Amino acid sequence: MPRHQDVKDDIIHLRSAGVDLGKRLLLACVRTPSAKRAGSWSLETERFGTTTGEIRRLLSWLVDRQVDVVVMEATSDYWRGVYYRLQPHLNLMLVNPAHLKGIRGRKTDPNDAAFLARAGDAGMVMASFVPQWDIRELRDLTRRRTELVRAAGWEAQRLEKELEDTGMKLSAVLSDIAGTSGRAILEALIAGERDPGRLADLAVGRARNKIPALIEALDGEFTDHHAFMVRHYLDEIDRWKRVIAGFDDRIARLLANREQDLASLVTIPGSGRLVTD
């Protein structure tokens, strides 16, 4: 015999909002219980710009409607300015777009903002972690520092290719051709020295054990053009190093009060105070 059963959706938030983000425009939708018909919902939709003044208007609009939760997708980088301005005043959920693809019924909503509001009130989505502002600043610095280190490495690779054009095999003997020994040899080449023996004798430290190999590696045709290009690459490497040093100083200041965190970090296998990708 057929059974009749009444079911009711589990609603976590009675008053939810969704914000569909774009580069120039935002679409916000507030979803609230209908005052006219039990079990149905009222949708109020409004368009906003993405300027700071328009975000303030969005904030006021949402606060006036007493929303319990606001859901938005992490669309490109458009979410950042909106999220950071709304977050101190509202309960925000930033959602990974990939998590929304498997949720059924999206096409039944009049727009993406309405879907986000419905997903928020029913608890169908999970918020992504957004770190606090000081960690965000530190993350910006460390990520950019990684990019700068890569850029310096690319200049070193271009320097090595330039030397290959001369027939010299300096990089086959010295692991870092822009290091102390390599720099001394390259500076002498730029200044006009061409004798492999005198060039190899500029090596310092353990590199002096490689003098015979250096003499052989420095036998090549180093022209004025090569001197110009090597000077350029060395200057670029130095410039990137100065920029990296500036980032190091700023990162150190931000970490001044986090010695305990750093001490905990270095206990993780494969981690250290300086970790690069």
Side-chain angles (χ1 to χ4, degrees), residues 27 33 40 69 72 74 97 102 116 123 125 137 143 154 157 174-175 177 198 231 268 274:
L27 185 66
S40 62
V69 64
M72 62 178 65
L116 292 171
V125 290
E137 290 184 351
R143 285 178 174 175
W154 291 333
Q157 291 173 8
L174 299 179
S175 58
I177 59 175
R198 286 195 289 267
R231 173 80 277 157
I268 301 174
L274 179 63

Side-chain angles (χ1 to χ4, degrees), residues 109-184:
D109 295 297
N111 53 57
D112 285 351
F115 161 72
L116 292 171
R118 178 166 63 87
D121 69 25
M124 294 189 291
V125 290
M126 181 175 63
S128 300
F129 171 70
V130 180
Q132 61 195 41
W133 67 268
D134 56 336
I135 300 300
R136 295 199 300 265
E137 290 184 351
L138 182 60
R139 184 174 60 182
D140 282 347
L141 291 168
T142 55
R143 285 178 174 175
R144 179 56 180 163
R145 186 191 184 280
T146 298
E147 294 170 351
L148 295 172
V149 170
R150 287 200 194 104
W154 291 333
E155 295 299 335
Q157 291 173 8
R158 294 182 182 108
L159 172 60
E160 182 177 350
K161 289 180 180 179
E162 191 67 32
L163 288 177
E164 286 291 327
D165 189 57
T166 70
M168 295 179 174
K169 300 295 181 179
L170 186 60
S171 61
V173 181
L174 299 179
S175 58
D176 182 8
I177 59 175
T180 303
S181 294
R183 176 66 69 108

Side-chain angles (χ1 to χ4, degrees), residues 23-229:
K23 185 174 183 178
R24 296 182 177 83
L25 289 174
L26 309 176
L27 185 66
C29 178
V30 172
R31 177 183 167 97
T32 57
S34 174
K36 297 180 180 179
R37 184 180 177 184
S40 62
W41 300 85
S42 295
L43 302 180
E44 183 182 1
T45 304
E46 180 69 35
R47 290 183 181 274
F48 299 86
T50 55
T51 61
T52 300
E54 281 289 276
I55 302 305
R56 291 196 194 99
R57 186 168 73 88
L58 170 63
L59 172 60
S60 178
W61 189 80
L62 293 171
V63 170
D64 288 346
R65 281 144 187 82
Q66 299 178 335
V67 294
D68 302 316
V69 64
V70 180
V71 181
M72 62 178 65
E73 288 184 80
T75 306
S76 185
D77 289 322
Y78 303 150
W79 64 271
R80 296 178 183 274
V82 180
Y83 185 96
Y84 296 156
R85 289 176 175 84
L86 298 185
Q87 193 272 333
H89 311 283
L90 296 166
N91 177 25
L92 290 189
M93 293 182 67
L94 182 70
V95 180
N96 187 331
H99 295 167
L100 302 172
K101 292 181 179 179
I103 300 177
R104 296 181 179 177
R106 180 165 188 169
K107 291 183 179 178
T108 65
D109 295 297
N111 53 57
D112 285 351
F115 161 72
L116 292 171
R118 178 166 63 87
D121 69 25
M124 294 189 291
V125 290
M126 181 175 63
S128 300
F129 171 70
V130 180
Q132 61 195 41
W133 67 268
D134 56 336
I135 300 300
R136 295 199 300 265
E137 290 184 351
L138 182 60
R139 184 174 60 182
D140 282 347
L141 291 168
T142 55
R143 285 178 174 175
R144 179 56 180 163
R145 186 191 184 280
T146 298
E147 294 170 351
L148 295 172
V149 170
R150 287 200 194 104
W154 291 333
E155 295 299 335
Q157 291 173 8
R158 294 182 182 108
L159 172 60
E160 182 177 350
K161 289 180 180 179
E162 191 67 32
L163 288 177
E164 286 291 327
D165 189 57
T166 70
M168 295 179 174
K169 300 295 181 179
L170 186 60
S171 61
V173 181
L174 299 179
S175 58
D176 182 8
I177 59 175
T180 303
S181 294
R183 176 66 69 108
I185 292 171
L186 292 176
E187 292 288 354
L189 281 166
I190 294 170
E193 181 61 66
R194 297 291 182 270
D195 182 81
R198 286 195 289 267
L199 290 169
D201 194 50
L202 296 172
V204 298
R206 287 181 294 181
R208 294 196 64 80
N209 297 328
K210 303 176 181 179
I211 285 180
L214 282 171
I215 292 174
E216 185 177 0
L218 290 168
D219 184 9
E221 297 294 331
F222 193 93
T223 67
D224 288 344
H225 171 74
H226 295 130
F228 179 86
M229 294 303 296

